[in-house]
Amino acid sequence: MKDYGISVLTQYQMEVFGTHKVRGAILCDTDKGLLLLKETRMEESRICALAKIYEQLNANGFEWVDTPLLNKEDAYVSKAEDGTGYILKKWFQGRECDVRRENELIAGAENLARIHLCMRLAGEENGFAGREENPVIKEYARHNRELRKVREFVCRRSVKSPFEIAFLKGYDQMYFWADRVLKILENMDLDSVFKEAGAENHMVHGDYNYHNLLVCQEGMAVTGFEHAHRDVQMEDLYYFLRKVLEKSGWKIRLGDGMLNAYSAIHPLTEGEMEYLKIRLIYPEKFWKTANSYYCTNKAWISVKNIEKLQTAIRQTEEKKMFLKEVFGFEL
């Protein structure tokens, strides 16, 4: 962030007592409370669309979100002298949710359920394009083609790196999971889940994870709505669950506790549970790491990526047990 971004603050009707830099932004102590000034490339129209979500959340009593503020010209994007756009958002004094603290992760699941109940904009022209009905089969068919392409490429290489050796060693097992998901989807009817989401304009956060949850003295704040869009709301819950469970080694008690916390506020239908199950079965981390390898420079592969791949393979047994205990699924 450039130093002269602070000059943008004069475009707002407020008194600034002090500022200090944080990662990629400037934290501002003002007469309107704690605010965050951040560079943005979003168009004004996109932020106006997002503002409808914030309005809906605030109107329903969910005010612990990083709501953007209008400047003196009633615009959300303020331009610096060099043309760089900035957005000023409500912020909170707190720390990032700790993935090692189960009570915070369960509170995060409860928070998500409350947010989802507020993020239903039925009948509104809200500026967000809808997702095609039941795109999961197409998505996983594409992922499987990509996995096969990576395998063919690696097999042709005469000298194989540690990453490539690990990939080939785990490929058969992981592809078996990936292929099984497609076969299950061919006999599964998820249309009702997508039709309900489309009819009621269900919105999702789009990046709901522990990095975007701030634990404050008064409660938990949710930030990072920039990726919000229309979709099946189980996408948020699936993403949050998967990220947490990969970190915890697929702990059954933790995952079950998060699902119970969510469903206590937002009861899950049979279709939504089926959607969650199929998303969690797919070896997402293995595919993502392999695809990243294929699409980037193969002359140097980070140790971190090798560890990610090995972890995805190693956690297979824990994941299998989790799916059996929580969803009654056996591969």
Side-chain angles (χ1 to χ4, degrees):
M1 179 129 186
K2 304 176 183 68
D3 289 340
Y4 50 76
I6 297 176
S7 65
V8 169
L9 293 174
T10 60
Q11 298 179 35
Y12 295 86
Q13 194 69 48
M14 64 181 183
E15 184 177 356
V16 180
F17 304 127
T19 63
H20 70 272
K21 286 187 178 182
V22 292
R23 185 174 57 190
I26 291 178
L27 204 58
C28 311
D29 182 20
T30 76
D31 61 343
K32 296 183 182 296
L34 197 62
L35 304 175
L36 189 80
L37 182 68
K38 189 174 183 180
E39 188 175 322
T40 183
R41 293 184 180 179
M42 281 193 292
E43 297 291 334
E44 181 76 18
S45 58
R46 166 69 179 171
I47 301 177
C48 286
L50 288 173
K52 293 181 181 180
I53 295 176
Y54 287 108
E55 289 170 10
Q56 183 93 345
L57 288 166
N58 291 333
N60 283 276
F62 206 102
E63 299 179 357
W64 286 71
V65 290
D66 56 341
T67 308
L69 277 65
L70 291 165
N71 60 23
K72 293 175 183 177
E73 304 298 323
D74 285 333
Y76 288 107
V77 179
S78 300
K79 298 286 186 178
E81 292 179 3
D82 67 344
T84 303
Y86 291 89
I87 185 171
L88 187 67
K89 306 192 293 182
K90 183 179 177 181
W91 206 248
F92 310 91
Q93 191 68 52
R95 58 169 177 78
E96 191 174 287
C97 175
D98 191 340
V99 73
R100 296 165 298 183
R101 299 187 181 186
E102 291 189 15
N103 62 316
E104 293 181 8
L105 297 170
I106 288 172
E110 292 174 347
N111 246 18
L112 181 60
R114 294 190 185 96
I115 287 173
H116 280 169
L117 290 175
C118 296
M119 291 174 68
R120 296 187 172 193
L121 310 179
E124 290 194 23
E125 291 295 328
N126 53 37
F128 294 93
R131 189 178 185 184
E132 63 177 297
E133 287 189 9
N134 201 346
V136 183
I137 292 179
K138 290 181 180 178
E139 179 182 336
Y140 285 157
R142 186 179 69 252
H143 288 356
N144 287 3
R145 288 195 301 271
E146 289 162 347
L147 282 173
R148 293 194 298 269
K149 188 185 296 182
V150 175
R151 183 180 181 277
E152 290 169 8
F153 175 82
V154 171
C155 285
R156 289 197 303 267
R157 289 173 72 88
S158 56
V159 179
K160 295 176 175 53
S161 68
F163 180 94
E164 292 159 350
I165 292 169
F167 172 80
L168 289 177
K169 185 177 180 181
Y171 177 85
D172 287 344
Q173 179 187 30
M174 304 309 285
Y175 189 80
F176 177 77
W177 282 69
D179 187 55
R180 180 69 187 278
V181 167
L182 273 184
K183 287 182 171 63
I184 294 171
L185 279 169
E186 289 170 359
N187 299 299
M188 182 181 286
D189 182 13
L190 292 175
D191 288 347
S192 61
V193 176
F194 289 94
K195 285 178 180 176
E196 182 185 355
E200 297 185 5
N201 275 347
H202 290 187
M203 305 295 299
V204 298
H205 179 281
D207 193 25
Y208 195 90
N209 60 62
Y210 39 87
H211 298 300
N212 285 323
L213 300 178
L214 294 178
V215 179
C216 311
Q217 190 171 359
E218 300 86 352
M220 182 173 281
V222 184
T223 67
F225 282 81
E226 290 85 357
H227 299 284
H229 60 279
R230 287 173 62 189
D231 207 339
V232 175
Q233 291 183 328
M234 289 303 96
E235 274 296 293
D236 275 340
L237 183 54
Y238 152 70
Y239 180 66
F240 187 39
L241 271 172
R242 180 174 65 81
K243 297 293 283 186
V244 168
L245 292 170
E246 286 174 351
K247 285 285 186 182
S248 72
W250 295 86
K251 286 175 67 175
I252 294 169
R253 189 183 70 174
L254 174 58
D256 197 41
M258 291 173 68
L259 282 170
N260 288 336
Y262 182 96
S263 59
I265 295 165
H266 181 290
L268 295 170
T269 66
E270 183 179 343
E272 287 172 332
M273 284 296 286
E274 286 294 294
Y275 186 89
L276 277 175
K277 180 183 76 175
I278 202 70
R279 293 297 259 172
L280 289 168
I281 292 170
Y282 195 84
E284 187 82 14
K285 190 168 187 176
F286 181 82
W287 161 78
K288 189 174 182 180
T289 310
N291 194 54
S292 174
Y293 149 83
Y294 186 76
C295 296
T296 54
N297 181 11
K298 301 165 191 64
W300 181 82
I301 303 167
S302 71
V303 173
K304 189 174 182 180
N305 276 350
I306 298 172
E307 290 174 351
K308 284 181 180 179
L309 191 78
Q310 291 172 333
T311 299
I313 298 166
R314 188 176 64 249
Q315 287 184 344
T316 301
E317 287 304 314
E318 289 93 333
K319 180 177 176 179
K320 189 183 296 184
M321 186 61 68
F322 175 87
L323 291 167
K324 179 182 177 182
E325 292 295 323
V326 178
F327 290 93
F329 172 80
E330 292 191 63
L331 194 63

